[in-house]
Amino acid sequence: MRGEIMDEEFGALKEAVMQHYGIRAGQCRLLRRTARTIVFSVRTESGQYVLKSINCSRQRLQFILEAEQYLRERKIAIPAVIPARSGSGWMEWEGNAYVLQQKIDGKPYPPDNDEAMAIRASLLGSMHAASLGFVSTIGGDRPRMADWVEQNKRKMADMQSWKAFYAESRSEKKRVILRAFDTFQELAEQTHALLLQNDEYAACRNLPADRHFLSHGDFHSLNVLKEDGQLYIIDWEFVSHDYPSRDMNRLLNSVLNRRKGWKPQWMETILDHYLKQNRLKEEQVRLMVLDMAFPHMFERCLTRGWYRSMSVPQLEAFLEMEKAKLDTMIRLYRDI
């Protein structure tokens, strides 16, 4: 059970770091606390580090660290993990596991212009290509794409539940969503039906782990940092075996958020640079864009209540961009 870290406890945390890592720790400062992670910066004589605790099982933490190391060995820039004196990848303190990592002082590298968009796509392609062959020593590597059918069914049911609950709402935001709802529902049903008929999905959903890609799971702008010309990918707590479409979707969402619109040629640029690094077969590309044509973000907007923090014009713009993006994916699926 993780509790509040009070000022007087920082001394105890520093002592634990020095004991477990054999280093002299100076200032220890809380950087971020969420329901999932606690992150500190730790200053030492040899430099600054990040100390992170992820609210997960030790088995899951081992999977994360092994996935990171596999990718590092294949030239993907990920902050180095400092091993504890025991040889473990983490230390135990107050019932939680803490990982000590290299601190990257770079700035986020958002895809807010064509060049940055292409570079981010190339980086993602390189990461996916390097990830093939990974198998964890402790399991936990069942591919998530095996569950796409059930996930899509659940998402469509959640969308329908939202519509039924708010059908008579007088809220202007909810009325905006309800006017667009049938269009997104039709896209969900169409893409789900195509998924059920897709031979590539049927063939690869249950392949062994080493033939599946690793998905970062949270490939947004704040998790790609540029330091001295090098791009680092950080925060791997959502890493799993899944299909490239899941990270590509996060990249596209970053593009929409940064560029405030959608142009079909952006997808052409992203796909071109991505495929130069990860040379997918035609049928793999079709499956990727098919998954990206399902209205995942629309469903999240409803079920996670994203619309509550948007103004009416922002919500209308979001729905318009999403629809334009999904139309592009459907066209690509048919044209490939």
Side-chain angles (χ1 to χ4, degrees), residues 102-160:
Q102 169 192 11
K103 189 175 189 296
I104 303 301
D105 290 324
K107 296 181 179 180
Y109 191 72
D112 50 10
N113 57 59
D114 288 356
E115 180 183 13
M117 197 166 61
I119 291 172
R120 282 282 299 272
S122 294
L123 174 65
L124 186 58
S126 297
M127 187 274 282
H128 285 160
S131 74
L132 283 175
F134 171 71
V135 179
S136 172
T137 62
I138 44 79
D141 46 16
R142 181 175 185 270
R144 291 191 175 182
M145 72 174 302
D147 300 324
W148 279 6
V149 170
E150 293 306 315
Q151 289 173 7
N152 287 356
K153 287 179 181 178
R154 185 174 64 252
K155 289 177 180 181
M156 289 189 287
D158 289 344
M159 288 165 59
Q160 286 291 353

Side-chain angles (χ1 to χ4, degrees), residues 5 88 107 120 155 159 191 207 209-210 215 221 229 257 279-280 302 318:
I5 306 294
S88 172
K107 296 181 179 180
R120 282 282 299 272
K155 289 177 180 181
M159 288 165 59
T191 52
L207 289 174
D210 65 340
S215 170
S221 295
N257 290 336
R279 298 184 181 279
L280 301 179
L302 271 56
F318 168 79

Side-chain angles (χ1 to χ4, degrees), residues 6-21:
M6 307 302 290
D7 287 345
E8 59 267 23
E9 293 183 277
F10 281 110
L13 179 58
K14 285 198 302 183
E15 288 295 327
V17 170
M18 290 190 287
Q19 175 186 349
H20 284 86
Y21 290 96

Side-chain angles (χ1 to χ4, degrees), residues 278-314:
N278 190 25
R279 298 184 181 279
L280 301 179
K281 296 179 293 184
E282 186 176 278
E283 54 267 32
Q284 291 177 303
V285 178
R286 291 191 83 226
L287 178 57
M288 181 170 69
V289 298
L290 175 61
D291 181 46
M292 294 166 70
F294 187 92
H296 298 289
M297 292 299 107
F298 177 75
E299 182 269 337
R300 288 187 178 187
C301 181
L302 271 56
T303 58
R304 301 189 183 188
W306 291 351
Y307 60 88
R308 296 190 185 101
S309 62
M310 300 180 190
S311 66
V312 170
Q314 287 172 335

Side-chain angles (χ1 to χ4, degrees), residues 196-213:
L196 295 175
Q197 301 164 15
N198 188 278
D199 291 339
E200 178 67 15
Y201 179 69
C204 72
R205 61 183 298 190
N206 292 315
L207 289 174
D210 65 340
R211 295 182 62 185
H212 283 270
F213 298 97

